[in-house]
Amino acid sequence: MASFSQQTYASRGERHQHPVAKQLFATMERKQSNLSLAADVSTKAELLALADKVGPYICVLKTHIDVISDFDTDLVEQLQALSIKHDFLIFEDRKFADIGNTVKLQYGGGVYRIADWAHITNCHVIPGEGIIQGLAEVGVPKGRGLLLLAEMSSKGMLATGAYTDKNIEMAVRNDFVFGFIGSRRFTEERDLVTMTPGVGLHASGDALGQQYRTPELIITENGSDVIIVGRGIYGPGKDAVAEAQRYREAGWDAYLKRLE
Ligand code: BMP
């Protein structure tokens, strides 16, 4: 059978066993979008306004909920309503990194109660496989999904070689995991999704080590599935709707090209 990256999102979604991957692929196909917005703004009003404006063009809204200075439960309710209105999934980019027992408390409880509203979250596997098991105890009953940070986009990142390989092994054997953060397709053993941050059409990076690559390199050549774009869409002087449309088109064209 052809590599998963040669198959359509629709057919991968139909066959997928993971509820979140199924939902994600179906959303991507419906909206013809493999674009995720990294909405790194710092107030509730800015986040809601951005999600409402850009919502029609994305498959996933990625949040860092702990940077919102005036977080409250109403924000979460409004984000959930926008996720239904515009048909996108919510990904809280929490990057859990502690022992299983602690991440269970952090994922299910605290101020943010992430598992109650985020379809997707992610973790580092630096503590070992217990982190996945701890998160799964909270997330599986709620129908959530987990991504492993197999690589990062920043200069000098240490997630390489044997560490990346360990991520792949753990992802393959843990059903709660449906994919990775990274720059490419990692395995054919299971249809694991890759979502890639550090994507930009114009800039090559920022002053703090971020590195940007194009949608074509990431989707067509590397076989990743979703591009994650932040400042390229909402950065200073940008028209967020126009940029979201541009990235959506670039990401989708790159996907169609790889199916050829
Ligand atoms: P921007 O496109 O503005 O550089 O934002 C990238 C987003 O992706 C940020 O929210 C960052 O936290 C996240 N990210 C990243 O840049 N590189 C990684 O390896 C993993 C990330 O989650």
Side-chain angles (χ1 to χ4, degrees):
M1 192 185 260
S3 158
F4 288 110
S5 53
Q6 237 88 61
Q7 299 171 32
T8 63
Y9 294 140
S11 67
R12 290 168 65 189
E14 279 158 24
R15 281 200 294 277
H16 219 289
Q17 302 296 312
H18 196 295
V20 173
K22 251 186 145 38
Q23 212 181 334
L24 174 61
F25 281 128
T27 306
M28 289 161 78
E29 192 66 43
R30 256 192 317 273
K31 297 182 79 174
Q32 305 221 322
S33 174
N34 53 16
L35 172 64
S36 169
L37 170 71
D40 296 339
V41 290
S42 52
T43 65
K44 173 179 169 180
E46 285 172 288
L47 177 56
L48 290 171
L50 187 59
D52 199 18
K53 259 198 314 203
V54 171
Y57 312 105
I58 59 175
C59 57
V60 174
L61 176 75
K62 188 177 82 62
T63 56
H64 281 299
I65 209 67
D66 60 354
V67 308
I68 302 296
S69 55
D70 53 351
F71 172 86
D72 60 12
T73 51
D74 177 64
L75 168 59
V76 167
E77 281 163 25
Q78 293 205 51
L79 280 179
Q80 286 176 304
L82 287 173
S83 130
I84 293 164
K85 175 181 173 192
H86 294 303
D87 189 18
F88 58 70
L89 301 187
I90 305 174
F91 168 17
E92 167 53 23
D93 187 2
R94 174 62 178 75
K95 297 189 179 71
F96 292 100
D98 214 320
I99 60 167
N101 187 61
T102 302
V103 296
K104 261 176 78 174
L105 301 171
Q106 293 172 321
Y107 185 29
V111 174
Y112 301 117
R113 307 192 66 82
I114 293 164
D116 285 349
W117 51 270
H119 304 91
I120 303 168
T121 194
N122 56 356
C123 77
H124 293 290
V125 297
I126 202 91
E129 212 152 340
I131 190 170
I132 302 174
Q133 288 149 2
L135 293 168
E137 282 186 21
V138 176
V140 169
K142 293 180 187 286
R144 306 310 189 196
L146 182 68
L147 301 173
L148 303 185
L149 284 131
E151 291 174 340
M152 291 195 72
S153 61
S154 40
K155 200 166 167 216
M157 62 96 184
L158 304 177
T160 59
Y163 180 78
T164 301
D165 292 344
K166 284 284 176 202
N167 275 262
I168 300 166
E169 287 169 27
M170 289 187 207
V172 167
R173 63 177 174 244
N174 282 277
D175 289 345
F176 182 44
V177 178
F178 75 98
F180 305 99
I181 295 296
S183 67
R184 59 192 166 88
R185 176 148 200 103
F186 289 102
T187 178
E188 295 293 329
E189 273 188 69
R190 193 149 87 74
D191 187 5
L192 293 155
V193 175
T194 301
M195 298 183 57
T196 306
V199 172
L201 285 166
H202 312 296
S204 62
D206 70 11
L208 297 173
Q210 177 67 294
Q211 308 175 110
Y212 292 116
R213 289 149 302 177
T214 62
E216 183 160 354
L217 174 69
I218 292 302
I219 301 286
T220 316
E221 288 175 40
N222 291 4
S224 171
D225 300 303
V226 176
I227 52 171
I228 300 174
V229 183
R231 287 164 288 177
I233 289 176
Y234 70 81
K238 303 238 183 219
D239 173 344
V241 168
E243 293 298 338
Q245 287 171 327
R246 198 202 311 267
Y247 276 97
R248 168 176 169 254
E249 204 176 305
W252 198 257
D253 285 350
Y255 158 69
L256 293 178
K257 203 163 159 192
R258 100 172 172 207
L259 292 178
E260 279 171 9

